[in-house]
Amino acid sequence: PLSKSLEPIAPPRLTLLAADGTPIAQNGAIMGEPVKAAKLPPHVRQAFLAIEDRRFYSHWGVDPRGLLRATWSNVRGSGPKQGGSTITQQVAKNMLLTSDRTITRKVKEAFLAQRIEKAFSKERILELYLNQIFLGISAYGVEAASRQYFGKSCQDLTLGEAATLAGLTRWPNTNNPIRNLENARKRRGVVLRQMLEEGFITQAEHDA
């Protein structure tokens, strides 16, 4: 059943132990404790919605307007390339499909996204997304990424920190604060501008 297929699965992680059992090093993916979307600070949720899926609460899994907007932006070459996939489509791809860039996979993704929307609430879909998304340096989910980059729970992220994490949804291994601080700052600025445009934050908050 679809409901069981979408239970989060922790990525593999290896631990190297000394002869006495003391951990020496770890390698592989890091996954934080699952977080409830409803319990996250509003600015954390809004940062991801603003940059990834501004119409998340009004579409039915696929957003034709978002797809057309992304296509037009890519044709004009204005700003970074956009994919047009909704958060629900990304959940379908990340948890049920491969990352192959083919028309067949995109069709399956769209079909599964609509099934997911019928089977789960918007809050549950957002939780699956936030707890599984890859955010660079082996970190999966906002909790793992928050602790890795800022040494704190995602419950305690500032607006700027939340925008930084949301900016890692694209090119997470090259635009994160550890490997390229300047690029991370630029992406943070993009997220903050989107949040301002959507009315999630004020001009004063954006400027600060």
Side-chain angles (χ1 to χ4, degrees):
L2 185 60
S3 59
K4 294 186 177 179
S5 300
L6 288 180
E7 288 302 317
I9 299 175
R13 185 164 175 78
L14 302 176
T15 301
L16 179 64
L17 303 177
D20 62 357
T22 304
I24 297 175
Q26 289 185 316
N27 183 37
I30 305 167
M31 196 168 194
E33 289 295 318
V35 296
K36 291 289 186 182
K39 293 184 178 180
L40 284 173
H43 61 266
V44 175
R45 299 157 51 98
Q46 292 165 350
F48 284 89
L49 291 173
I51 196 66
E52 286 297 296
D53 193 353
R54 66 183 71 178
R55 285 167 39 82
F56 175 68
Y57 286 104
S58 61
H59 65 62
W60 36 270
V62 177
D63 183 9
R65 283 172 54 183
L67 184 59
L68 287 173
R69 182 179 62 248
T71 301
W72 178 240
S73 177
N74 293 339
V75 169
R76 289 188 306 165
S78 58
K81 292 288 184 180
Q82 299 182 27
S85 292
T86 65
I87 280 177
T88 314
Q89 285 176 273
Q90 293 182 58
V91 168
K93 181 188 73 173
N94 293 339
M95 303 186 72
L96 299 171
L97 300 171
T98 67
S99 296
D100 296 340
R101 294 178 177 272
T102 64
I103 296 297
T104 300
R105 196 221 76 205
K106 291 296 290 185
V107 170
K108 289 180 179 178
E109 178 185 292
F111 174 73
L112 285 170
Q114 294 173 68
R115 288 189 62 195
I116 290 170
E117 289 275 344
K118 292 179 180 178
F120 299 98
S121 68
K122 288 286 188 178
E123 291 303 294
R124 179 56 176 153
I125 294 170
L126 186 58
E127 282 175 11
L128 289 168
Y129 172 78
L130 293 175
N131 285 311
Q132 289 283 120
I133 187 171
F134 177 60
L135 293 172
I137 316 293
S138 303
Y140 285 80
V142 292
E143 180 67 12
S146 179
R147 293 191 179 279
Q148 178 154 271
Y149 297 120
F150 302 113
K152 62 173 76 171
S153 169
C154 59
Q155 301 284 350
D156 302 318
L157 290 172
T158 66
L159 172 59
E161 291 165 345
T164 299
L165 289 191
L168 301 183
T169 53
R170 294 178 191 168
W171 310 294
N173 273 331
T174 56
N175 282 345
N176 65 71
I178 293 176
R179 292 186 175 168
N180 195 321
L181 184 58
E182 187 56 34
N183 278 3
R185 284 174 174 157
K186 289 178 181 177
R187 285 289 294 166
R188 177 186 64 184
V190 172
V191 174
L192 290 171
R193 285 194 296 274
Q194 291 284 87
M195 294 180 76
L196 178 62
E197 289 179 8
E198 292 301 309
F200 292 145
I201 59 175
T202 65
Q203 185 70 55
E205 289 172 320
H206 170 275
D207 296 345

